Every structure is written in C-alpha cells, then in structure tokens.
Amino acid sequence: MTDRDLPPHDDAVAPLDDDMRIFRPRRALPTDVVRPTRAEVNLAHLRHNLHVLRHSARGVPIWAVLKADAYGHGAKAVARTLERAGVDGICVALVEEGVELREAGITVPVLVMGGYAGSAFREFIHHDLTVVVHEIGQIGDLAREVRHADSSGIDVHLKVDTGMGRLGSRREEWQRVAEAFLAHREVRLDGLMTHFANADVAEDGVFDEPLQLFEEATALFTAAGLPPRVRHAANSAALLRGRAGFDLVRPGIALFGVDPLAGAPVERALPPEMAGKLRPVMSVHSKIVALRQLTAGDAVGYGSTWNAPRPSLVATVPMGYADGLSRALSNRGEFLVHGRRAPIVGIVSMDMTMIDVTDIPDVALGDDVVLLGAQSAKSSASKAFSASSTESGLAEITASDIARASGTIPWEVLTNISRRVPRFYREA
Ligand SMILES: *Cc1c(COP(=O)(O)O)cnc(C)c1O
C-alpha cells in the first residue's frame, strides 16, 4: 500500500487489510517504510475479556479503567470497542485522558480518578467528565466553577482512604467533608469510592478492614443526608475474587488479558470453565534485521557483557529500551523465533536487542520475532522453513513473564511500550 491510502493527519485510522487497521503514531512514516517493530492489539480478545469479566461481575455494571492510554493499548480504539460492546462507563487518571475520549465521540460516563484537576474544573463541566473529589478544598473550588459556568450543579464521586494511603479523604475528615457538601449544594455527592492496597494478596482478611471503613463512611454520609447513589471499590483482583462488587466495578489489567491473581491460591468468582480464560490483548512483533556467525569468545553489545561460549549465531532485532523493552532484560529475557525461545544476549540498547539463535534451525534474515505474545513454529518461519516445525507447538511470552524477568509487574510492562511502536488493530 502507499502513503496516499492513509488520511493525512496523525492518529488517523485507515484500513490496512481486511481485519487490520493502523493507528498512526505521531512521528511514523508511511506504513510501507517503517521498521518491522509493531504492536498488535487484538480487539476480539478485548471483547472476550469483557465478556469473562461480566460473568465475574454477575450483573454489576463494568466501568473499564483506561488510564495511561488504555494501559498502552490506545485509549480511543479500546474505548470505542468497549463502548460498542456495551461497557457501562470508563475511568481514566487524567482530565486530558477524559477529554481525548470525549473528542473521540465516547458518550458513556467518564470518571477522572487521578486527583489532579488544577484549574481544569471547567473542562470537567464542558466535557461532561465526572470529578473524583478526594480533598475537602476541592468542594468549594468546584462550587465556584459551577456558578461561574451557569450550571445547575455537578455530580461528583468522593474517594475515601481505607488503607491505601495515597489519595482519598481520611476518616478524621469525613464529618467536615460532609459539612462542605451541605454548604455547597451545587456539588452533589453522587458516588462514594475507595481503592484497595492489597486486593491481589492471597489472604482472606485483606478486605476486612477496608470494607469496614468503607461501610463506616457510607453510614456517616447517609446520616448527614448525603446517601451516595453508587458505591464502588473493586479493581481487577477484587472483581475476580468476587469481592466488593457494590454498584459498579473498575477492572483495568484483566481487560487486557493479564490475571492479577495468576497462581494465587484464592477463591474466584468465575465458573470453572472460564477461569484462566483471559486472553492477552497486546502482542509485540519484529523481524531479524541482522544475523552474524560468531566464533567462540566474540563479544556482543555495549560493555561486551556477553561473549559467545561456542560458535554462535546471533540475531539483531530492532527494538530497544526506547521502545519500552526494559534494559533490565539484558542477558535475561527471551524472544520467540520459529516458535522457540531465544535468549537475549548482551545489553539491550536504545533501538536494538540481540538474541542467540544458535539452537534454532534455519534462522534467516527477515524471520519474524515475537517479543510479547504467542508464536507457532509453523507460521513464524521464513518460506524455506520446513523441518522440526511439528516438534514444538505454540510458544508464548506473557507480560507476566517479562515482568518476572525484569523485576517489575505486568502493568508496567504494558504501559512501557512506547509511542514509537505503532499499534495495529486486529478485529478478529
Ligand atoms: C488503576 C486503578 C484501577 C484498576 O486496577 P487494575 O488492577 O488494573 O484492575 C481501579 N481503580 C483505581 C482507583 C485505579 O487507580
């Protein structure tokens, strides 16, 4: 395809082939000349995960958490897909993330949870975004803005701190917060929310104290004549455990196919046939752009931290830490080639990473490499590939695998995939 098939401005969505669209990042060149490194976002898997979470939620409305550009998947495309699939609301961290979704035509409720509103309250009113109030001074500020905007009032959600120690009104302030709401009737307490610090910790008691405090807050505001219309607390882990459903749930990571409870010995709210059935939404692909036969002792990468222990075939893949591949994977991580694992050798550099493919037969320049996701032995081979394709089935590298190898969590692995990596959207 040529450049002219694509609309001219950035962020344009254009047909690529039957079930793929490209979401053009800001600095990308025409698609037929960009380097082969790309992220694929499987929207069918996203819809599947929403379906699984619906079972878990047992009828409680789902507000998808799409902060940080939908955990790196592209907030607009993800929000449109989920809205069409019937999601009940969306949560973001920043007001600009909310504005981006409204400008993309999203009409379901959007809750802005990140706490920082600055002088942007008029943006909330103008774009019909729901403010999370977490601090008493915000109530008077908001009331002033509402009067200024000639608006009849604004519904807000109040966040209370039940042990997270991050954002949210603390118990000793609740009475004064209630009085502030009563003094500024144009700011209406519509929702009451909290966030768990330990929802993924495999102990039964982790919800006890937070839930008791949350009930205490509910009772206090109700007694003050401010009964919240909706209450919510559950992130993915709490939802999958069937805890703290209240009136809506706020899953993030599970929508993208990562099970925050993987391996944890906890009870789940899913019917057994659905457990473990979340599907990864993002995969990252590239190709081998250089291949070198080394003799024993030859060094690879900055600082010569890896030396070939034997005659070795080493491939260069054009993705590095500036693309979001952690430098902590140096001499630790793995990529997939021909459906088999190839260890990263040497230091991950800004734009490139090397892998040892000595033990993989028939590797050639241009062969597909999977950095995140699954690869089958057959489909990944270059045209000449034939032997040994049956011996290995489907190999997979998950965000959790990468997190483990690099000492972080899957949330950071996904949000790190940088803007430099173009996102391709697959509908089926
Ligand atoms: C990020 C976030 C969530 C979603 O958490 P996951 O673990 O990704 O499901 C829910 N609520 C709040 C307040 C958050 O910040």
Side-chain angles (χ1 to χ4, degrees):
M1 75 181 291
T2 68
D3 187 25
R4 260 166 297 134
D5 297 331
L6 297 170
H9 58 88
D10 67 358
D11 288 351
V13 176
L16 189 67
D17 64 31
D18 281 345
D19 55 7
M20 299 267 281
R21 288 177 293 152
I22 176 172
F23 187 66
R24 297 181 77 194
R26 289 198 208 301
R27 287 172 300 276
L29 289 162
T31 50
D32 45 359
V33 299
V34 290
R35 64 180 177 157
T37 302
R38 65 205 190 274
E40 198 177 287
V41 176
N42 190 317
L43 299 174
H45 286 185
L46 178 70
R47 285 189 290 266
H48 165 87
N49 294 338
L50 178 64
H51 177 73
V52 170
L53 294 181
R54 276 222 183 88
H55 273 265
S56 216
R58 300 193 175 106
V60 174
I62 292 182
W63 285 34
V65 178
L66 305 186
K67 58 196 181 193
D69 204 23
Y71 291 43
H73 294 67
K76 285 189 271 192
V78 167
R80 283 195 195 108
T81 301
L82 292 175
E83 187 173 77
R84 264 186 242 124
V87 84
D88 301 280
I90 290 171
C91 306
V92 293
L94 312 182
V95 63
E96 54 268 41
E97 293 173 341
V99 171
E100 182 190 24
L101 294 182
R102 283 288 181 248
E103 287 178 346
I106 296 298
T107 59
V108 295
V110 174
L111 182 69
V112 180
M113 308 189 300
Y116 184 76
S119 55
F121 284 137
R122 75 196 57 179
E123 295 295 322
F124 282 88
I125 296 167
H126 183 67
H127 293 282
D128 190 22
L129 304 171
T130 305
V131 193
V132 170
V133 166
H134 59 91
E135 198 270 314
I136 193 165
Q138 294 175 310
I139 298 168
D141 292 348
L142 251 176
R144 245 184 319 280
E145 203 56 59
V146 167
R147 287 194 298 272
H148 194 72
D150 236 352
S151 157
S152 62
I154 188 170
D155 291 333
V156 303
H157 291 208
L158 172 68
K159 188 168 195 177
V160 292
D161 187 356
T162 58
M164 177 70 179
R166 185 177 70 177
L167 214 58
S169 175
R170 289 171 57 79
R171 181 205 233 157
E172 54 272 23
E173 300 164 339
W174 293 346
Q175 190 58 48
R176 286 193 302 125
V177 169
E179 285 157 15
F181 274 115
L182 292 169
H184 300 285
R185 299 312 295 242
E186 57 276 75
V187 182
R188 295 181 294 256
L189 196 163
D190 185 51
L192 187 69
M193 68 183 285
T194 192
H195 189 47
F196 298 118
N198 299 304
D200 54 359
V201 174
E203 284 165 27
D204 275 343
V206 291
F207 297 102
D208 294 352
E209 206 177 307
L211 286 180
Q212 193 194 321
L213 263 173
F214 197 48
E215 292 298 350
E216 211 179 292
T218 307
L220 184 146
F221 286 99
T222 302
L226 300 162
R229 183 181 59 85
V230 290
R231 294 192 296 157
H232 50 104
N235 58 1
S236 297
L239 166 59
L240 290 169
R241 295 172 82 167
R243 301 298 302 271
F246 295 108
D247 304 308
L248 62 93
V249 291
R250 308 188 307 261
I253 196 79
L255 279 168
F256 302 105
V258 175
D259 183 344
L261 301 169
V266 296
E267 225 173 285
R268 286 161 179 271
L270 280 172
E273 73 275 12
M274 291 194 116
K277 288 289 166 60
L278 296 169
R279 296 181 186 154
V281 174
M282 196 194 305
S283 54
V284 178
H285 308 255
S286 192
K287 288 183 190 296
I288 293 173
V289 297
L291 203 54
R292 56 209 344 89
Q293 183 68 56
L294 304 182
T295 50
D298 283 351
V300 167
Y302 285 119
S304 306
T305 63
W306 188 83
N307 293 276
R310 53 175 176 166
S312 302
L313 188 63
V314 168
T316 302
V317 179
M319 174 149 177
Y321 62 77
D323 301 298
L325 186 77
S326 172
R327 200 166 168 278
L329 294 168
S330 300
N331 288 311
R332 290 180 62 87
E334 292 174 321
F335 295 167
L336 301 177
V337 178
H338 296 187
R340 298 173 61 167
R341 293 174 179 269
I344 293 175
V345 292
I347 295 290
V348 172
S349 50
M350 187 182 288
D351 317 300
M352 278 170 272
T353 301
M354 282 68 80
I355 49 176
D356 180 359
V357 293
T358 312
D359 294 331
I360 305 176
D362 305 319
V363 171
L365 214 55
D367 280 359
D368 291 332
V369 180
V370 168
L371 296 81
L372 167 68
Q375 191 186 48
S376 67
K378 234 176 168 172
S379 66
S380 64
S382 61
K383 41 191 177 305
F385 185 68
S386 55
S388 72
S389 61
T390 47
E391 69 181 66
S392 54
L394 195 77
E396 185 172 20
I397 293 175
T398 65
S400 302
D401 293 335
I402 296 173
R404 216 171 301 115
S406 55
T408 183
I409 54 174
W411 288 257
E412 190 178 11
V413 169
L414 293 175
T415 55
N416 270 359
I417 306 296
S418 76
R419 282 202 68 109
R420 201 164 76 155
V421 179
R423 270 65 167 168
F424 287 74
Y425 291 90
R426 180 175 281 281
E427 288 286 355

